[in-house]
């Protein structure tokens, strides 16, 4: 787990080490254990390390193999690195470290662009091949690890965050109107390759990008999720057994592949509770769990301690829980926003930020339950979409998922940012992609491969890495995801959703945890906006800077400000918070 950055020039000039230093400075919190840089004429790399595997200096990065003419910067974890290392040793490769980074280097030399398909894990990395004068960038299948890039004339730069690219200077920070449409329609999701800035792009999940010193770009997908039934028809017990086995393996490898202890972020929901149960079942000792809660409002409880406490009691974990008062949330909100790589509307971003701060004082790696709802159909809107019997796929999806329809969006933004219904066009295209047997197959695949990437997954990576804490997400193990994608949607949605997980949990968890209504990491003060929180948001959206930016229509703003609690999206987000968050985030990055 680390922060990476780099620069490649196409004009014959040497790479700018000052730009590398500026980018590295913004990435320090992602990698507090070591910082280093490397240059080779037109190419320069920078790296900040969080030491998880092979804690010795031999795995410090940039990792250079002079004999092979290769250099690497890498963020993530390769869970099958030991098996790959053995395979490469049988080919004659010799290793100077015990880490997973060196395995990537040798794998590139052995298999070229095909190396990424052999990697099992979460990763974003860059390899410089001095022999071919080629830069190779790659991102994991589910986009768990981030990778942003920008090209300014004869210079290409990449980094783990847009803030690092901005620190190097020269980035076009004008607002991308298509990205803005995505942002306010898909509750802050801007699918790759776009970001909110015209000058910053992100590598799509399951893609690699090859760039040579003549600025020739080749980008390619190396994995695609098929949401079709297997040729061999499975019974319900066979599906349940297969999914249980795959999840157990995903949890196991994320516990064992580390040279430091691994804990669990325990929300009190089924997903994280099941992780605790499976780790205990596998014989994990010294299980450490961590929970966070907030003040209640009349409409909603601010914590799930009543459920997480039951799991802690059953498995006798070493547990820490943190109750954060609203005044502390308000005071720390600017910090959490500045840690966001892109604007994030999800109210639990702040919760994860504050929880990660506490957890990082005791441990370096945690498992987290992100992805279970998307992979196994746990959200309330899935059955509603499935129940629709008329309309196009897009109409059935957007009716229950979009934060705003296009008509409302045009009331939200000024004419500068109006235009066509870009998001509907994109989602219709994604839902119509082949290798999905039913609409719900296509919907769940869209969520897993696109929407989740730039919402809960990015949120967890940003907020944990802001404190040098590595979060592992076993429900997004690509082999488990592949298996679940073949499973009939009706089985996943049975009994309110996540049926395979609920059946696995019987006997392992208290029934109260399994059968409870679906919860969402609660942050009531950002959903029911009052008092100091309303003042903060009002100040943001009525500021001179916001007016000069010229994104929002005054009439729409006034409607939200006059009754903030009456304007929520279909999936329970506060619309005023969305507008204020974008403004606060733009201010945080100096735009």
């Amino acid at each position: 787990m680390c922060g990476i950055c780099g620069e490649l020039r196409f004009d014959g000039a040497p790479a700018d080490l000052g730009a590398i230093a500026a980018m590295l400075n913004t990435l320090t919190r992602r990698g507090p254990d070591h910082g280093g840089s490397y240059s080779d004429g037109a190419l320069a790399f920078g790296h900040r390390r969080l030491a998880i595997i092979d804690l010795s200096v031999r795995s410090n990065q940039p990792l250079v193999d002079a004999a092979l003419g290769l250099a690497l910067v890498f963020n993530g974890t390769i869970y099958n690195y030991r098996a790959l290392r053995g395979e490469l040793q049988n080919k004659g490769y010799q290793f100077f470290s015990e880490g997973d980074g060196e395995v990537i280097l040798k794998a590139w030399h052995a298999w070229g662009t095909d190396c990424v398909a052999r990697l099992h894990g979460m990763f974003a990395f860059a390899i410089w091949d001095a022999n071919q004068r080629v830069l190779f960038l790659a991102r994991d299948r589910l986009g768990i690890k981030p990778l942003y890039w920008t090209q300014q004339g004869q210079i290409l730069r990449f980094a783990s965050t847009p803030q690092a690219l901005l620190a190097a200077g020269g980035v076009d920070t004008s607002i991308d109107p298509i990205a803005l449409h995505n942002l306010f329609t898909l509750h802050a999701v801007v699918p790759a390759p776009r970001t909110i800035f015209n000058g910053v792009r992100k590598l799509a999940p399951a893609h690699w990008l090859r760039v040579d010193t003549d600025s020739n770009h080749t980008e390619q997908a190396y994995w695609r999720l098929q949401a079709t039934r297997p040729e061999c028809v499975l019974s319900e017990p066979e599906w349940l057994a297969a999914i249980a086995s795959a999840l157990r393996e995903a949890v196991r490898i994320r516990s064992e592949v580390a040279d430091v202890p691994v804990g669990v972020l325990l929300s009190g929901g089924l997903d994280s509770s099941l992780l605790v149960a499976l780790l205990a079942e596998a014989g994990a000792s010294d299980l450490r769990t961590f929970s966070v809660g907030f003040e209640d409002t009349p409409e909603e409880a601010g914590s799930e301690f009543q459920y997480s406490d039951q799991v802690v009691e059953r498995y006798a974990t070493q547990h820490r829980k943190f109750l954060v008062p609203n005044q502390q949330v308000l005071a720390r909100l600017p910090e959490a926003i500045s840690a966001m790589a892109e604007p994030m509307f999800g109210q639990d971003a702040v919760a994860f930020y504050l929880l990660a701060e506490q957890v990082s004082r005791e441990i370096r790696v945690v498992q987290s339950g992100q992805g279970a709802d998307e992979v196994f159909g746990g959200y309330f809107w899935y059955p509603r979409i499935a129940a629709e019997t008329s309309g196009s796929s897009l109409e059935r999806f957007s009716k229950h998922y979009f934060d705003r329809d296009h008509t409302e969006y045009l009331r939200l933004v000024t004419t500068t940012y109006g235009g066509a219904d870009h998001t509907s066009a994109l989602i219709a295209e994604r839902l119509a992609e082949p290798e999905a047997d039913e609409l719900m197959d296509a919907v769940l695949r869209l969520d897993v491969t696109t929407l989740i990437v730039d919402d809960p997954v990015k949120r967890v990576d940003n907020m944990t890495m802001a404190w040098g804490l590595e979060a592992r997400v076993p429900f997004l193990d690509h082999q488990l995801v592949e298996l679940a994608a073949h499973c009939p949607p009706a089985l996943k949605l049975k009994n309110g959703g996540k049926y395979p997980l609920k059946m696995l949990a019987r006997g392992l968890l208290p029934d109260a945890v399994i059968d409870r209504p679906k919860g969402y990491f609660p942050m009531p003060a950002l959903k029911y906006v009052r008092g100091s929180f309303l003042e903060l948001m009002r100040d943001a959206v009525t500021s001179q800077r916001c007016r000069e930016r010229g994104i929002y229509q005054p009439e729409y703003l006034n409607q939200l400000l006059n009754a903030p609690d009456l304007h929520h999206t279909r999936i329970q987000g506060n619309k005023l918070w969305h507008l204020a968050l974008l403004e606060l985030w733009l201010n945080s990055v100096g735009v």
Side-chain angles (χ1 to χ4, degrees), residues 512-528:
V513 173
I514 300 170
D515 298 324
R516 57 166 292 195
K518 165 64 185 169
Y520 301 87
F521 216 145
M523 176 70 76
L526 295 179
K527 182 177 178 181
Y528 303 100

PDB file of all heavy atoms in Angstrom, residues 512-528:
ATOM      1  N   ALA A 512     -30.000 -11.823  14.968  1.00  0.00           N
ATOM      2  CA  ALA A 512     -30.338 -10.402  14.968  1.00  0.00           C
ATOM      3  C   ALA A 512     -29.465  -9.618  13.996  1.00  0.00           C
ATOM      4  O   ALA A 512     -29.909  -8.631  13.393  1.00  0.00           O
ATOM      5  CB  ALA A 512     -30.196  -9.826  16.378  1.00  0.00           C
ATOM      6  N   VAL A 513     -28.224 -10.040  13.826  1.00  0.00           N
ATOM      7  CA  VAL A 513     -27.318  -9.381  12.886  1.00  0.00           C
ATOM      8  C   VAL A 513     -27.677  -9.759  11.453  1.00  0.00           C
ATOM      9  O   VAL A 513     -27.648  -8.926  10.541  1.00  0.00           O
ATOM     10  CB  VAL A 513     -25.858  -9.748  13.203  1.00  0.00           C
ATOM     11  CG1 VAL A 513     -24.911  -9.209  12.130  1.00  0.00           C
ATOM     12  CG2 VAL A 513     -25.466  -9.225  14.575  1.00  0.00           C
ATOM     13  N   ILE A 514     -28.041 -11.014  11.243  1.00  0.00           N
ATOM     14  CA  ILE A 514     -28.359 -11.495   9.900  1.00  0.00           C
ATOM     15  C   ILE A 514     -29.677 -10.916   9.404  1.00  0.00           C
ATOM     16  O   ILE A 514     -29.793 -10.503   8.236  1.00  0.00           O
ATOM     17  CB  ILE A 514     -28.435 -13.035   9.885  1.00  0.00           C
ATOM     18  CG1 ILE A 514     -27.090 -13.638  10.319  1.00  0.00           C
ATOM     19  CG2 ILE A 514     -28.833 -13.552   8.505  1.00  0.00           C
ATOM     20  CD1 ILE A 514     -27.155 -15.137  10.561  1.00  0.00           C
ATOM     21  N   ASP A 515     -30.687 -10.866  10.270  1.00  0.00           N
ATOM     22  CA  ASP A 515     -32.042 -10.514   9.861  1.00  0.00           C
ATOM     23  C   ASP A 515     -32.381  -9.044  10.049  1.00  0.00           C
ATOM     24  O   ASP A 515     -33.493  -8.625   9.734  1.00  0.00           O
ATOM     25  CB  ASP A 515     -33.048 -11.363  10.638  1.00  0.00           C
ATOM     26  CG  ASP A 515     -32.873 -12.854  10.354  1.00  0.00           C
ATOM     27  OD1 ASP A 515     -32.547 -13.194   9.206  1.00  0.00           O
ATOM     28  OD2 ASP A 515     -33.039 -13.660  11.293  1.00  0.00           O
ATOM     29  N   ARG A 516     -31.461  -8.261  10.532  1.00  0.00           N
ATOM     30  CA  ARG A 516     -31.719  -6.839  10.719  1.00  0.00           C
ATOM     31  C   ARG A 516     -31.946  -6.162   9.377  1.00  0.00           C
ATOM     32  O   ARG A 516     -31.466  -6.619   8.338  1.00  0.00           O
ATOM     33  CB  ARG A 516     -30.532  -6.177  11.418  1.00  0.00           C
ATOM     34  CG  ARG A 516     -29.216  -6.350  10.690  1.00  0.00           C
ATOM     35  CD  ARG A 516     -28.140  -5.432  11.196  1.00  0.00           C
ATOM     36  NE  ARG A 516     -28.440  -4.046  10.881  1.00  0.00           N
ATOM     37  CZ  ARG A 516     -27.549  -3.061  10.939  1.00  0.00           C
ATOM     38  NH1 ARG A 516     -26.307  -3.307  11.291  1.00  0.00           N
ATOM     39  NH2 ARG A 516     -27.885  -1.835  10.654  1.00  0.00           N
ATOM     40  N   PRO A 517     -32.662  -5.025   9.356  1.00  0.00           N
ATOM     41  CA  PRO A 517     -32.800  -4.268   8.110  1.00  0.00           C
ATOM     42  C   PRO A 517     -31.433  -3.809   7.626  1.00  0.00           C
ATOM     43  O   PRO A 517     -30.522  -3.572   8.425  1.00  0.00           O
ATOM     44  CB  PRO A 517     -33.673  -3.072   8.505  1.00  0.00           C
ATOM     45  CG  PRO A 517     -34.347  -3.484   9.774  1.00  0.00           C
ATOM     46  CD  PRO A 517     -33.403  -4.403  10.471  1.00  0.00           C
ATOM     47  N   LYS A 518     -31.298  -3.703   6.314  1.00  0.00           N
ATOM     48  CA  LYS A 518     -30.044  -3.225   5.744  1.00  0.00           C
ATOM     49  C   LYS A 518     -29.701  -1.859   6.312  1.00  0.00           C
ATOM     50  O   LYS A 518     -30.515  -0.942   6.320  1.00  0.00           O
ATOM     51  CB  LYS A 518     -30.171  -3.150   4.218  1.00  0.00           C
ATOM     52  CG  LYS A 518     -29.087  -2.341   3.514  1.00  0.00           C
ATOM     53  CD  LYS A 518     -27.708  -2.946   3.675  1.00  0.00           C
ATOM     54  CE  LYS A 518     -26.641  -2.039   3.052  1.00  0.00           C
ATOM     55  NZ  LYS A 518     -25.277  -2.462   3.404  1.00  0.00           N
ATOM     56  N   GLY A 519     -28.491  -1.712   6.838  1.00  0.00           N
ATOM     57  CA  GLY A 519     -28.049  -0.439   7.388  1.00  0.00           C
ATOM     58  C   GLY A 519     -27.035   0.237   6.475  1.00  0.00           C
ATOM     59  O   GLY A 519     -26.473  -0.377   5.578  1.00  0.00           O
ATOM     60  N   TYR A 520     -26.818   1.508   6.700  1.00  0.00           N
ATOM     61  CA  TYR A 520     -25.829   2.275   5.959  1.00  0.00           C
ATOM     62  C   TYR A 520     -24.997   3.019   6.985  1.00  0.00           C
ATOM     63  O   TYR A 520     -25.553   3.616   7.909  1.00  0.00           O
ATOM     64  CB  TYR A 520     -26.505   3.253   4.987  1.00  0.00           C
ATOM     65  CG  TYR A 520     -27.396   2.550   3.992  1.00  0.00           C
ATOM     66  CD1 TYR A 520     -28.721   2.260   4.292  1.00  0.00           C
ATOM     67  CD2 TYR A 520     -26.886   2.113   2.774  1.00  0.00           C
ATOM     68  CE1 TYR A 520     -29.522   1.583   3.404  1.00  0.00           C
ATOM     69  CE2 TYR A 520     -27.687   1.430   1.873  1.00  0.00           C
ATOM     70  CZ  TYR A 520     -29.001   1.172   2.193  1.00  0.00           C
ATOM     71  OH  TYR A 520     -29.793   0.489   1.310  1.00  0.00           O
ATOM     72  N   PHE A 521     -23.709   2.976   6.839  1.00  0.00           N
ATOM     73  CA  PHE A 521     -22.814   3.602   7.812  1.00  0.00           C
ATOM     74  C   PHE A 521     -23.407   4.968   8.187  1.00  0.00           C
ATOM     75  O   PHE A 521     -23.332   5.910   7.407  1.00  0.00           O
ATOM     76  CB  PHE A 521     -21.435   3.789   7.185  1.00  0.00           C
ATOM     77  CG  PHE A 521     -20.303   3.596   8.154  1.00  0.00           C
ATOM     78  CD1 PHE A 521     -19.115   3.025   7.720  1.00  0.00           C
ATOM     79  CD2 PHE A 521     -20.393   4.000   9.467  1.00  0.00           C
ATOM     80  CE1 PHE A 521     -18.052   2.843   8.592  1.00  0.00           C
ATOM     81  CE2 PHE A 521     -19.343   3.824  10.349  1.00  0.00           C
ATOM     82  CZ  PHE A 521     -18.163   3.245   9.899  1.00  0.00           C
ATOM     83  N   PRO A 522     -24.051   5.107   9.343  1.00  0.00           N
ATOM     84  CA  PRO A 522     -24.874   6.294   9.590  1.00  0.00           C
ATOM     85  C   PRO A 522     -24.052   7.522   9.945  1.00  0.00           C
ATOM     86  O   PRO A 522     -23.128   7.482  10.745  1.00  0.00           O
ATOM     87  CB  PRO A 522     -25.757   5.863  10.762  1.00  0.00           C
ATOM     88  CG  PRO A 522     -24.955   4.824  11.480  1.00  0.00           C
ATOM     89  CD  PRO A 522     -24.120   4.129  10.444  1.00  0.00           C
ATOM     90  N   MET A 523     -24.408   8.639   9.321  1.00  0.00           N
ATOM     91  CA  MET A 523     -23.879   9.952   9.658  1.00  0.00           C
ATOM     92  C   MET A 523     -25.065  10.915   9.571  1.00  0.00           C
ATOM     93  O   MET A 523     -25.201  11.679   8.615  1.00  0.00           O
ATOM     94  CB  MET A 523     -22.775  10.357   8.687  1.00  0.00           C
ATOM     95  CG  MET A 523     -22.216  11.750   8.895  1.00  0.00           C
ATOM     96  SD  MET A 523     -21.259  11.940  10.382  1.00  0.00           S
ATOM     97  CE  MET A 523     -19.736  11.139   9.893  1.00  0.00           C
ATOM     98  N   PRO A 524     -25.981  10.856  10.563  1.00  0.00           N
ATOM     99  CA  PRO A 524     -27.251  11.587  10.450  1.00  0.00           C
ATOM    100  C   PRO A 524     -27.090  13.079  10.202  1.00  0.00           C
ATOM    101  O   PRO A 524     -27.912  13.684   9.509  1.00  0.00           O
ATOM    102  CB  PRO A 524     -27.922  11.313  11.797  1.00  0.00           C
ATOM    103  CG  PRO A 524     -27.332  10.020  12.265  1.00  0.00           C
ATOM    104  CD  PRO A 524     -25.913  10.034  11.779  1.00  0.00           C
ATOM    105  N   ALA A 525     -26.045  13.687  10.742  1.00  0.00           N
ATOM    106  CA  ALA A 525     -25.903  15.135  10.619  1.00  0.00           C
ATOM    107  C   ALA A 525     -25.664  15.581   9.181  1.00  0.00           C
ATOM    108  O   ALA A 525     -25.883  16.758   8.856  1.00  0.00           O
ATOM    109  CB  ALA A 525     -24.749  15.617  11.505  1.00  0.00           C
ATOM    110  N   LEU A 526     -25.211  14.677   8.316  1.00  0.00           N
ATOM    111  CA  LEU A 526     -25.011  15.024   6.910  1.00  0.00           C
ATOM    112  C   LEU A 526     -26.190  14.583   6.041  1.00  0.00           C
ATOM    113  O   LEU A 526     -26.183  14.791   4.830  1.00  0.00           O
ATOM    114  CB  LEU A 526     -23.715  14.391   6.388  1.00  0.00           C
ATOM    115  CG  LEU A 526     -22.435  14.904   7.026  1.00  0.00           C
ATOM    116  CD1 LEU A 526     -21.224  14.194   6.438  1.00  0.00           C
ATOM    117  CD2 LEU A 526     -22.300  16.412   6.869  1.00  0.00           C
ATOM    118  N   LYS A 527     -27.171  13.973   6.665  1.00  0.00           N
ATOM    119  CA  LYS A 527     -28.388  13.578   5.944  1.00  0.00           C
ATOM    120  C   LYS A 527     -29.547  14.493   6.325  1.00  0.00           C
ATOM    121  O   LYS A 527     -30.294  14.945   5.466  1.00  0.00           O
ATOM    122  CB  LYS A 527     -28.719  12.123   6.277  1.00  0.00           C
ATOM    123  CG  LYS A 527     -29.926  11.587   5.541  1.00  0.00           C
ATOM    124  CD  LYS A 527     -30.127  10.105   5.875  1.00  0.00           C
ATOM    125  CE  LYS A 527     -31.358   9.540   5.204  1.00  0.00           C
ATOM    126  NZ  LYS A 527     -31.582   8.116   5.548  1.00  0.00           N
ATOM    127  N   TYR A 528     -29.679  14.761   7.618  1.00  0.00           N
ATOM    128  CA  TYR A 528     -30.695  15.686   8.110  1.00  0.00           C
ATOM    129  C   TYR A 528     -29.956  16.948   8.544  1.00  0.00           C
ATOM    130  O   TYR A 528     -29.404  17.024   9.639  1.00  0.00           O
ATOM    131  CB  TYR A 528     -31.474  15.049   9.261  1.00  0.00           C
ATOM    132  CG  TYR A 528     -32.097  13.733   8.843  1.00  0.00           C
ATOM    133  CD1 TYR A 528     -31.493  12.525   9.174  1.00  0.00           C
ATOM    134  CD2 TYR A 528     -33.255  13.721   8.076  1.00  0.00           C
ATOM    135  CE1 TYR A 528     -32.055  11.321   8.762  1.00  0.00           C
ATOM    136  CE2 TYR A 528     -33.810  12.524   7.658  1.00  0.00           C
ATOM    137  CZ  TYR A 528     -33.207  11.323   8.006  1.00  0.00           C
ATOM    138  OH  TYR A 528     -33.753  10.135   7.585  1.00  0.00           O
TER     139      TYR A 528
END
